[in-house]
Amino acid sequence: MKQSILKISVFAVAFGLFTACSNDDNIIVNDESIIEEPSDTDSEELEFQDMESDWVRLSLLTDDSIDLMQADSGEITYSVDAVFAEGESFYTTNSGRYLAAIDRAGGQVRFFDSGISNHEDHGHEYEAQWASPEFSSLLPTHYTGSEGDIVIFNDGDGSIVYVDEESLEIPSYQPEVFMLENTVAHHGAAVRLDNGMFVATFKNTDEAGGIPQMVKFIDEEGTVIDDNGGIEVESIHGVAVNGDYGVFGSTDGIILVDTETNIDLIENIEGLNADSGNWLASIKGHDESDHFFARAGNLGVFMIDPETKELANIYSGDDVTGDLFNFDGHYYILYTSDNTIHVFDAETGTELISRTVEIANIPELANTTEASNANALDEDLSPVIVSSDKFLYVLAPNRVQIKVLQIENLEHVHTIELETPVNNIKINGFSIEGDQDVEHDH
């Protein structure tokens, strides 16, 4: 096992790279400043190491490798060589074990295996490596995952790829590709629900452009049920799923699908409309959350309740930079262009706390296609904040520090020092509460 290349220090003073919301804690230092180690670190370091799960891993993406770090100890457990494509996107799978790596322009999809396997009451760690299953398709773009079911939509021909996450450890496994009847190339998306059925976007071919106008159900054999529920809109972009429900963003509101094969439209509420930046085009969901959260660029964030079919504005403003759920889905977190992190209760949509923090910049998008730029609304191409159950990991502007915040109070409890800068970070692994049965050998 490779020795750690990191040093860990704990930050307990009230200023430095962080600025809290109080009036007497509002100093921001320059990007290259280094957090000083306080004199009494033992109690805070012990607190963080005791509270974070031993199974949480940070995947640090450098120019030519993925370094897998045990979050609570700072030890690099594995370093895996990698050649990354420009603009390649990474998504943590539902189990936390894999990163799905999608190279849209190159038409390649592969999976990084962290080796961290969750067996519910215990875990196992295997060697990190690139998994054997990989595939090529035409412009693979939108990724969705729920209950271990992964669906990737191919913009190049309107097909979908289904990946059973549990099968990725089988070297001979190959994902299923569904070439859908009466579809065409478009910038679309698809989900799989708990009833085994897929839902994918379709284009009205009488409409110009590459954006879809409707969704349809598809059975487990790939047969399209040619019924859009009477819902056809000007444009669809953005998708999320939690197993029971799938939601698609559109100019007219949220298209809602469920396991009873219903297709409904939750119409826009006041302020939302079809103008650019005024409709819900980026959506986040989580298997453990009953609600979805959607962003309109000019208007902020709206909570979607699929049971009552209602929308509610929980944050107003045109300054949202990124958003995410914490790992167990209890909190919804957004951060804004002024480097403020906002934490919401994912059940009620109530804002619990906010704090201003210095965060690494997200690089401006290159001059790529309109579709690939639009896709960046859904996932940061260069993630700078990730979350476990209890902690946020924030990449500092100098990219050689990761600051650790406790989610419930946004207290800065730890700083991880890196010897070399990282391009972005993702999270793998899982959390287990209480004692673990370490006798298992399967």
Side-chain angles (χ1 to χ4, degrees):
M1 184 174 293
K2 182 177 178 181
Q3 296 295 314
S4 172
I5 62 170
L6 300 99
K7 302 176 292 180
I8 300 179
S9 64
V10 177
F11 179 63
V13 295
F15 59 92
L17 284 178
F18 273 82
T19 59
C21 293
S22 61
N23 292 332
D24 58 351
D25 187 16
N26 58 3
I27 302 172
I28 299 179
V29 298
N30 65 59
D31 289 357
E32 299 303 321
S33 295
I34 300 298
I35 296 172
E36 295 182 1
E37 183 174 351
S39 59
D40 56 343
T41 64
D42 291 345
S43 61
E44 292 199 14
E45 184 166 3
L46 181 63
E47 179 182 7
F48 167 66
Q49 291 183 341
D50 283 349
M51 291 178 66
E52 184 59 289
S53 170
D54 291 342
W55 296 105
V56 173
R57 298 292 183 271
L58 298 180
S59 293
L60 312 177
L61 280 69
T62 67
D63 289 338
D64 54 10
S65 69
I66 298 179
D67 293 334
L68 197 68
M69 185 186 74
Q70 183 170 328
D72 61 353
S73 71
E75 179 184 11
I76 296 292
T77 56
Y78 290 99
S79 184
V80 179
D81 292 340
V83 176
F84 301 116
E86 184 176 358
E88 192 168 7
S89 300
F90 294 84
Y91 305 83
T92 302
T93 61
N94 293 117
S95 72
R97 177 166 178 171
Y98 300 94
L99 294 180
I102 300 178
D103 172 14
R104 182 182 191 274
Q108 298 292 318
V109 179
R110 54 184 176 159
F111 296 88
F112 173 74
D113 182 0
S114 72
I116 303 299
S117 179
N118 183 359
H119 289 201
E120 302 302 332
D121 64 340
H122 69 286
H124 290 284
E125 180 171 17
Y126 306 102
E127 181 179 359
Q129 59 187 326
W130 288 100
S132 296
E134 59 181 65
F135 61 89
S136 301
S137 57
L138 288 175
L139 299 179
T141 306
H142 266 302
Y143 167 101
T144 60
S146 176
E147 304 292 348
D149 294 322
I150 297 168
V151 181
I152 297 169
F153 189 91
N154 299 313
D155 283 3
D157 57 11
S159 65
I160 59 175
V161 179
Y162 169 62
V163 182
D164 175 19
E165 185 180 346
E166 288 188 354
S167 298
L168 285 173
E169 61 182 299
I170 303 172
S172 60
Y173 172 71
Q174 282 299 311
E176 295 182 77
V177 180
F178 295 101
M179 306 300 296
L180 304 179
E181 186 179 6
N182 296 326
T183 193
V184 294
H186 67 276
H187 184 56
V191 300
R192 190 175 197 252
L193 299 175
D194 284 349
N195 64 356
M197 298 194 74
F198 301 92
V199 186
T201 56
F202 285 76
K203 257 194 67 61
N204 180 340
T205 55
D206 293 333
E207 298 289 338
I211 304 297
Q213 288 75 40
M214 69 191 83
V215 303
K216 298 179 183 180
F217 277 90
I218 299 137
D219 69 18
E220 295 180 77
E221 303 301 319
T223 302
V224 176
I225 299 171
D226 196 18
D227 178 7
N228 66 4
I231 307 298
E232 186 168 330
V233 297
E234 179 183 336
S235 298
I236 296 173
H237 187 276
V239 65
V241 61
N242 68 4
D244 294 323
Y245 295 98
V247 292
F248 296 80
S250 88
T251 45
D252 292 19
I254 293 294
I255 298 176
L256 174 70
V257 298
D258 62 31
T259 53
E260 300 299 320
T261 67
N262 296 308
I263 302 175
D264 294 300
L265 179 68
I266 305 175
E267 295 184 353
N268 285 331
I269 61 175
E270 184 178 358
L272 293 170
N273 57 62
D275 292 343
S276 178
N278 292 349
W279 55 284
L280 300 173
S282 173
I283 310 175
K284 290 293 192 297
H286 193 286
D287 282 353
E288 300 303 320
S289 176
D290 294 330
H291 299 125
F292 298 89
F293 295 87
R295 292 161 51 192
N298 297 331
L299 303 175
V301 177
F302 293 74
M303 185 172 73
I304 304 164
D305 187 332
E307 288 286 342
T308 63
K309 297 181 175 59
E310 294 178 328
L311 301 175
N313 186 206
I314 65 166
Y315 178 85
S316 298
D318 61 358
D319 57 350
V320 179
T321 303
D323 62 336
L324 66 155
F325 275 91
N326 78 317
F327 221 25
D328 64 12
H330 292 170
Y331 299 103
Y332 168 73
I333 300 146
L334 65 84
Y335 51 104
T336 52
S337 57
D338 64 353
N339 287 343
T340 299
I341 295 174
H342 301 260
V343 177
F344 295 81
D345 183 323
E347 181 62 29
T348 65
T350 303
E351 183 168 358
L352 303 175
I353 193 169
S354 64
R355 180 174 181 171
T356 302
V357 180
E358 280 216 326
I359 304 170
N361 291 329
I362 298 175
E364 293 293 331
L365 290 172
N367 291 323
T368 54
T369 67
E370 178 182 352
S372 60
N373 277 341
N375 192 53
L377 290 169
D378 293 320
E379 288 290 333
D380 295 335
L381 296 184
S382 180
V384 292
I385 297 179
V386 297
S387 177
S388 64
D389 285 1
K390 298 178 180 178
F391 296 97
L392 285 176
Y393 295 86
V394 181
L395 187 61
N398 53 33
R399 294 184 177 269
V400 294
Q401 294 172 311
I402 298 173
K403 299 174 285 187
V404 185
L405 281 71
Q406 192 169 345
I407 297 175
E408 64 179 7
N409 56 19
L410 289 183
E411 179 185 354
H412 178 198
V413 297
H414 204 66
T415 298
I416 300 169
E417 302 278 358
L418 312 175
E419 290 189 354
T420 57
V422 299
N423 296 327
N424 47 52
I425 57 178
K426 296 295 288 184
I427 197 160
N428 288 99
F430 58 93
S431 296
I432 293 180
E433 297 291 341
D435 294 334
Q436 300 176 34
D437 184 351
V438 297
E439 300 301 321
H440 289 275
D441 58 3
H442 60 84

